[in-house]
């Protein structure tokens, strides 16, 4: 039997066990069970959690079942608080990797909340690492996932059980929550995006997976009401004319967010992403140290590509923070909208927002060259004029860092060249060959434990042979000629295969995000 088949079999057995227990205990009816199984087939999740959300059983019923099944005490994590000193006894990467949570300690023991308290390997590992006897208790998986996600998003703070309960209850209400409640819920759930679309319930994207809140579907009027709450009154007319609108907002006592509003089927839809105050380090982003070296180059062009929502802006901000912390420069950024707020460190930073401080990226680029910049950061290069000014700036002694929409690190080159008219492309190739430093393509891939995502990157550096290929218009040959990788080219397939071999991602997810699935599979199995 394959591992996949075994997992499916185990899940089916688990469904039957909990269903049979709840039926035999008189806690649910056969109809309740069928509805719960149907919902699980449609929306995923665990059967017990679904039955709770549907109102068929209470949390105490599920905890009672788990306690009986495993023969250890059950614990309602939403009824207790866990202090930072207790949480700090186990490294957060272990908490995330093993899906465990320390809830109390004394001189000789630690009480550990687990979804599977019979996992003796985990218990032995913790006992060995902290030299205390583990007392396991069982908590429902959805409670553990919620509590661990909150802890990872707010390290150094207490876990407040009742606050987590409020967050989960938000997803079970019959009335639509206000926008502040939705934003708080997104942060507590550790979601990457909040999506508001007519005809569907408010939805969260967590580790590339869509999860709908169990509240009524939004109407066109609901989405317009949310939009009017988010957009300043004086900006509403501008949105009406443009049909697409982006801005960053600050909500008191909640946080900062990037908001994108757009029209679909003559109605308003909204995508909201949290912006965090702290700029992540290269290590936290799983970016290699050589990015620091390339960011500190005095001049040239650095390009970052990847799908929307895969961390391009965060990578740019991390590079800017490296420069800001290391060199005395004048840095000009052009952003749509401004996400991370940079403080002046060793450098001066001027952050300009498209539509508010400057009309467009190309207009901002023209003005930036007269503002004594050492570094110019362009949120996105979309047109020929912006590329042309960027190439000129890179050749004339400036460092230019930007994102580009492209499939991979090599196709960026052709995308830049194809912006120009045919009779201009030979000159564009020469300019790009001289100014280009590095192209980075990135993907955020779900982790194996499903707690968050990890970055896989592809690198193309401008070595002598790459420079020659750019000049001769042979960049399409880079992937075939340099497939096995080297100092100047490391494909996304190699990065994904390494993450799989390290046990960080699942094989299926690696294959899904690979550029060449056959190459990835060969590398992963070698």
């Amino acid at each position: 039997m394959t591992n996949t088949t075994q997992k499916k079999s185990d899940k089916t057995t688990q469904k039957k066990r909990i269903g049979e227990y709840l039926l035999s205990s008189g806690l649910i009816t056969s109809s309740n069970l069928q509805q719960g199984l149907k919902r699980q087939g449609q929306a995923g999740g665990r059967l017990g959690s679904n039955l709770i959300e549907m109102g068929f059983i209470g949390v105490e019923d599920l905890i009672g079942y788990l306690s009986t099944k495993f023969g250890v005490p059950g614990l309602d994590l939403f009824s207790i608080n866990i202090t930072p000193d207790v949480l700090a006894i186990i490294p957060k990467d272990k908490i995330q990797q093993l899906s465990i949570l320390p809830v109390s300690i004394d001189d000789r023991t630690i009480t550990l909340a687990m979804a599977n308290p019979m996992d003796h390997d985990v218990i032995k590992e913790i006992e060995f690492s902290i030299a205390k006897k583990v007392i396991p208790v069982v908590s429902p998986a959805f409670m553990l996932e919620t509590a661990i996600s909150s802890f990872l998003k707010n390290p150094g703070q207490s876990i407040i059980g009742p606050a987590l309960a409020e967050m989960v209850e938000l997803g079970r209400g019959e009335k639509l929550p206000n926008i502040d409640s939705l934003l708080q819920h997104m942060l507590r759930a550790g979601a990457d995006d909040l999506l508001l679309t007519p005809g569907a319930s408010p939805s969260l994207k967590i580790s590339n997976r869509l999860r709908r809140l169990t509240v009524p579907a939004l109407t066109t009027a609901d989405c317009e009401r949310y939009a009017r709450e988010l957009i300043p009154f004086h900006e509403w007319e501008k949105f009406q004319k443009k049909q697409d609108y982006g801005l960053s907002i600050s909500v008191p006592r909640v946080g900062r967010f990037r908001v994108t509003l757009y029209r679909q089927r003559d109605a308003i839809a909204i995508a909201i992403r949290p912006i965090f105050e702290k700029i992540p380090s290269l290590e936290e982003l799983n970016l290699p140290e050589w990015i620091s070296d390339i960011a500190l180059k005095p001049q040239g062009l650095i390009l970052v590509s990847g799908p929307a929502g895969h961390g391009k802006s965060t990578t740019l901000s991390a590079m800017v923070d490296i420069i800001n912390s290391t060199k005395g420069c004048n840095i000009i950024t052009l952003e749509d909208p401004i996400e991370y707020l940079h403080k002046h460190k060793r450098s001066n930073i001027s952050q300009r927002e498209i539509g508010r401080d400057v009309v467009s990226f190309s207009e901002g680029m023209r003005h930036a060259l007269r503002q004594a910049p050492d570094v110019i950061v362009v949120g996105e290069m979309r047109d020929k004029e912006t590329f042309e000014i960027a190439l000129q700036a890179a050749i004339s002694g400036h460092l230019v860092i930007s994102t580009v929409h492209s499939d991979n690190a090599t196709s960026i080159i052709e995308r830049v060249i194809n912006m120009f008219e045919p009779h201009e492309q030979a000159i564009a190739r020469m300019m790009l060959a001289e100014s280009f430093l590095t192209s980075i393509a990135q993907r955020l891939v779900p982790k194996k434990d499903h707690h968050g995502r990890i970055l896989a990157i592809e690198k193309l550096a401008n070595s002598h042979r790459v420079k020659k290929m750019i000049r001769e218009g042979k960049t399409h040959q880079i992937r075939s000629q340099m497939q096995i990788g080297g100092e100047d080219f490391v494909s996304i397939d190699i990065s994904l295969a390494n993450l799989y071999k390290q046990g960080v991602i699942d094989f299926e997810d690696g294959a899904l995000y690979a550029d060449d699935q056959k190459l990835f599979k060969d590398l992963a199995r070698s």
Side-chain angles (χ1 to χ4, degrees):
M1 184 182 289
T2 65
N3 289 339
T4 302
T5 305
Q6 181 64 51
K7 287 179 181 177
K8 288 180 179 177
S9 175
D10 290 345
K11 287 180 180 178
T12 302
T13 302
Q14 176 66 15
K15 289 180 193 176
K16 289 180 178 177
R17 284 177 182 168
I18 187 171
E20 289 170 358
Y21 170 86
L22 295 171
L23 275 171
S24 63
S25 302
L27 296 171
I28 61 171
T29 66
S30 296
S31 175
N32 295 155
L33 178 58
Q34 291 305 313
Q35 290 178 60
L37 291 170
K38 181 179 179 181
R39 175 171 177 160
Q40 185 171 24
Q42 294 172 339
R46 294 175 183 262
L47 178 59
S49 301
N50 285 333
L51 291 171
I52 290 173
E53 288 188 3
M54 297 172 80
F56 294 151
I57 62 171
V59 170
E60 63 279 2
D61 298 322
L62 179 59
I63 292 175
Y65 160 71
L66 294 172
S67 179
T68 300
K69 174 188 174 184
F70 290 110
V72 300
L75 178 64
D76 181 353
L77 288 174
F78 292 172
S79 67
I80 65 169
N81 299 333
I82 308 175
T83 56
D85 61 310
V86 173
L87 293 167
I89 197 168
I90 299 176
K92 66 178 183 180
D93 60 331
K94 283 290 181 189
I95 289 176
Q96 181 178 17
Q97 177 189 350
L98 302 175
S99 290
I100 56 176
L101 200 67
V103 294
S104 65
I105 53 173
D106 59 29
D107 291 340
R108 297 182 356 180
T109 66
I110 176 171
T111 301
L112 202 62
M114 307 173 69
N116 178 11
M118 295 294 101
D119 193 332
H120 299 295
D121 290 338
V122 170
I123 291 172
K124 287 178 182 177
E125 180 178 345
I126 297 302
E127 287 180 336
F128 178 78
S129 63
I130 66 173
K132 289 180 183 290
K133 179 178 175 56
V134 168
I135 300 175
V137 296
V138 64
S139 291
F142 80 92
M143 283 188 174
L144 269 171
E145 289 169 2
T146 303
I148 291 171
S149 180
S150 174
F151 165 66
L152 294 173
K153 288 291 182 182
N154 304 285
Q157 298 184 24
S158 296
I159 290 178
I160 309 298
L164 298 182
E166 286 178 13
M167 179 189 82
V168 173
E169 285 300 320
L170 173 64
R172 300 183 191 144
E174 293 301 321
K175 296 180 180 178
L176 285 175
N178 62 38
I179 194 66
D180 284 7
S181 295
L182 285 172
L183 296 175
Q184 289 171 340
H185 182 51
M186 172 172 60
L187 293 177
R188 288 170 178 161
D192 303 302
D193 297 280
L194 168 65
L195 306 174
L196 307 173
T197 308
S201 302
S203 305
L204 299 177
K205 280 191 76 175
I206 303 175
S207 299
N208 289 359
R209 291 176 172 84
L210 189 73
R211 297 184 184 178
R212 290 196 175 112
L213 301 183
T214 52
V215 296
L218 299 172
T219 65
T220 299
D222 293 328
C223 287
E224 180 166 338
R225 174 170 58 83
Y226 284 137
R228 287 184 179 274
E229 288 184 52
L230 292 164
I231 297 182
F233 178 78
H234 62 278
E235 296 285 324
W236 183 256
E237 186 176 346
K238 185 184 295 185
F239 165 60
Q240 294 291 83
K241 290 178 180 178
K242 293 178 65 176
Q243 305 301 313
D244 289 274
Y245 191 81
L247 73 158
S248 54
I249 62 170
S250 293
V251 180
R253 296 180 298 280
V254 180
R256 294 185 66 244
F257 303 88
R258 185 177 79 182
V259 181
T260 302
L261 302 100
Y262 55 96
R263 291 270 178 188
Q264 62 94 31
R265 291 191 290 182
D266 202 33
I268 297 171
I270 307 167
I272 305 175
R273 176 167 299 170
I275 301 171
F276 300 103
E277 295 292 327
K278 181 179 178 294
I279 300 168
S281 66
L282 295 184
E283 183 179 1
E284 290 170 323
L285 294 173
N286 195 42
L287 287 169
E289 277 301 318
W290 58 258
I291 286 183
S292 179
D293 298 330
I294 207 75
L296 295 174
K297 294 286 186 182
Q299 71 178 81
L301 180 64
I302 301 173
L303 299 174
V304 180
S305 69
H310 282 250
K312 298 187 297 294
S313 298
T314 304
T315 296
L316 256 63
S317 293
M319 286 194 275
V320 169
D321 192 55
I322 289 167
I323 299 168
N324 187 22
S325 303
T326 308
K327 297 172 67 176
C329 297
N330 185 29
I331 303 171
I332 307 290
T333 76
L334 303 168
E335 303 175 62
D336 183 20
I338 291 173
E339 295 190 25
Y340 291 95
L341 296 177
H342 292 272
K343 296 178 180 178
H344 302 298
K345 295 180 181 177
R346 295 194 63 184
S347 294
N348 286 352
I349 298 187
S350 298
Q351 293 182 261
R352 309 190 72 196
E353 184 163 292
I354 304 303
R356 180 173 297 178
D357 303 314
V358 64
V359 174
S360 64
F361 283 115
S362 57
E363 184 80 6
M365 283 293 290
R366 280 199 300 273
H367 292 308
L369 293 176
R370 296 193 291 270
Q371 293 158 4
D374 298 297
V375 179
I376 304 173
V377 181
V378 188
E380 184 183 344
M381 289 205 275
R382 302 170 178 167
D383 54 62
K384 173 195 168 186
E385 185 177 8
T386 308
F387 276 118
E388 195 168 23
I389 300 170
L391 288 173
Q392 291 171 353
I395 287 175
S396 61
H398 305 85
L399 181 67
V400 181
I401 309 173
S402 182
T403 71
V404 183
H405 279 296
S406 182
D407 292 335
N408 53 55
T410 56
S411 63
I412 286 181
I413 306 299
E414 290 307 310
R415 178 168 172 78
V416 173
I417 299 302
N418 289 334
M419 286 280 183
F420 294 83
E421 297 295 328
H423 67 278
E424 300 173 317
Q425 290 183 1
I427 296 174
R429 288 188 183 280
M430 293 296 292
M431 293 175 70
L432 189 58
E434 291 305 315
S435 62
F436 173 66
L437 289 174
T438 302
S439 167
I440 301 165
Q442 56 186 59
R443 300 284 189 278
L444 280 170
V445 186
K447 290 184 178 179
K448 192 170 186 175
D449 57 13
H450 302 299
H451 288 294
R453 299 181 291 173
I454 190 163
L455 198 63
I457 70 163
E458 177 170 282
K459 162 195 173 183
L460 175 66
N462 197 11
S463 63
H464 289 297
R465 61 174 176 169
V466 171
K467 194 186 296 280
K468 183 179 178 183
M469 286 181 172
I470 294 174
R471 284 174 177 155
E472 296 176 355
K474 297 178 180 179
T475 49
H476 61 282
Q477 297 178 6
I478 292 175
R479 303 194 79 79
S480 58
Q481 293 189 16
M482 305 182 187
Q483 199 174 49
I484 61 171
E487 285 295 316
D488 48 7
F489 181 63
V490 178
S491 73
I492 193 75
D493 308 306
I494 293 173
S495 296
L496 290 167
N498 288 338
L499 289 174
Y500 169 70
K501 288 179 177 179
Q502 293 162 15
V504 181
I505 65 173
D506 284 321
F507 183 85
E508 292 79 6
D509 285 327
L512 179 65
Y513 287 93
D515 184 78
D516 183 333
Q517 288 197 354
K518 183 179 183 304
L519 176 60
F520 164 77
K521 292 174 181 178
D522 290 343
L523 291 168
R525 290 166 175 160
S526 63

